[in-house]
Amino acid sequence: MTLLVTAASGHLGRLVVDALLERGVPASDIVAGVRTPAKVDDLAARGVHVAELDYARPETFAPALEGVTRVLLISGTDADRVAQHRAVVEVARAAGVERLVYTSAPRVDEVDYALGADHKATEQAIADSGLSATILRHNWYTENYLDAVARAADTGEIVAATGDARVASASRRDYAEAAAVALTTDDLAGRTVEVGGDVAWTYDELAEAASEVLGRPVTYTRVSVEQLTEGLKAAGLDAGTAAFVAGIDDAIARGALGTTDGSLSRIIGRPTTPLVEGLRQGLATR
């Protein structure tokens, strides 16, 4: 098989390439699709084939997909990413790709939230294409909290509008290993899987973990969505971005990230990375 990893120069994409190599996939069977090939000279030096694949430039899709058996479509970040995803899916279908693996968001068919809408639309586009697919609905990355923990080193608090909600986060490496399994085996063919950490923690527990990692007391300060929105605007975000960011906290408060059933640990064959360990590792490599 020839395996294409899109966005391979990003945090997750690089880890997926590493996970594939660790599973014994020959480097020559891996294609790293990247917007800027020079950013992955190190992967090329390891024997990985590098192909230009820019979500904003559809003309790069077909050459990158030539001869590819399976594709990992890592979700983009541009404002028009749904259209970009649809274009990649269509080219993959036309190229005869055997399977598409997509990194989606949690509970997009159960909880209505802005971030989930793009992923839900992409999942529908994949279903409409008729491609054999695996949808991995990623819970939060523990690394998403590194900035908040770093700020807490100075302020002693983590401020959020998530109430008493829980988050089943895992490390990017955990998710990368699951993607490697989905690409290299048939175990997850045709499945949509909610993947997250083994433990769903509260923000009070996040503050406790930050205290342990930082070696100083940290508390969780609860605010309303409105208060968080105003605080983000005061910090310099425009109104739309502030509302979007605060809306993520609102979705968390409504339970978007609180579900875990051990699927991720079963897929990767080991426990997921504990919160404290994930934060410690993340801060050490920033």
Side-chain angles (χ1 to χ4, degrees):
M1 294 185 294
T2 300
L3 310 175
L4 169 64
V5 178
T6 69
S9 60
H11 293 301
L12 179 63
R14 281 184 170 276
L15 290 171
V16 174
V17 172
D18 287 342
L20 290 171
L21 293 170
E22 289 167 5
R23 290 181 65 84
V25 177
S28 59
D29 290 345
I30 302 172
V31 179
V34 295
R35 178 176 295 176
T36 308
K39 289 186 176 180
V40 292
D41 284 345
D42 58 314
L43 295 182
R46 297 165 71 183
V48 173
H49 178 67
V50 176
E52 183 178 13
L53 196 161
D54 185 344
Y55 291 159
R57 297 175 58 223
E59 66 271 18
T60 65
F61 299 168
L65 283 159
E66 185 175 355
V68 167
T69 312
R70 298 182 180 184
V71 174
L72 172 65
L73 175 57
I74 294 177
S75 57
T77 57
D78 292 348
D80 58 347
R81 64 178 171 180
V82 175
Q84 293 174 352
H85 293 166
R86 285 176 177 144
V88 175
V89 169
E90 177 54 31
V91 173
R93 184 200 60 76
V97 166
E98 175 189 292
R99 181 169 308 136
L100 184 77
V101 180
Y102 176 62
T103 62
S104 190
R107 303 183 65 190
V108 296
D109 53 354
E110 301 176 66
V111 181
D112 183 20
Y113 58 110
L115 182 63
D118 285 355
H119 293 284
K120 184 176 181 179
T122 299
E123 288 188 15
Q124 187 60 55
I126 293 170
D128 292 344
S129 75
L131 280 168
S132 172
T134 299
I135 308 298
L136 297 175
R137 289 180 174 169
H138 289 186
N139 203 293
W140 241 219
Y141 301 134
T142 296
E143 291 87 347
N144 289 354
Y145 293 94
L146 295 180
D147 286 344
V149 172
R151 287 193 298 271
D154 295 323
T155 65
E157 64 175 354
I158 291 174
V159 180
T162 53
D164 296 323
R166 292 181 177 272
V167 176
S169 74
S171 72
R172 284 196 185 100
R173 184 171 294 279
D174 298 336
Y175 294 111
E177 290 182 20
V181 171
L183 284 170
T184 57
T185 75
D186 295 325
D187 298 351
L188 303 175
R191 293 180 57 190
T192 296
V193 189
E194 301 278 351
V195 287
D198 293 333
V199 177
W201 44 262
T202 66
Y203 271 63
D204 284 315
E205 290 168 328
L206 173 62
E208 292 174 7
S211 298
E212 182 174 342
V213 170
L214 297 173
R216 64 152 296 171
V218 176
T219 58
Y220 163 41
T221 300
R222 292 165 171 78
V223 296
S224 68
V225 171
E226 293 74 20
Q227 288 172 320
L228 180 60
T229 302
E230 292 305 313
L232 292 169
K233 288 161 62 176
L237 294 186
D238 62 81
T241 303
F244 179 82
V245 173
I248 293 174
D249 272 24
D250 178 59
I252 294 173
R254 290 185 285 116
L257 304 181
T259 301
T260 181
D261 64 0
S263 291
L264 180 54
S265 59
R266 287 193 295 274
I267 291 169
I268 64 179
R270 62 167 176 80
T272 58
T273 306
L275 177 60
V276 169
E277 183 180 339
L279 292 175
R280 184 175 286 118
Q281 291 174 352
L283 289 173
T285 56
R286 278 168 68 90

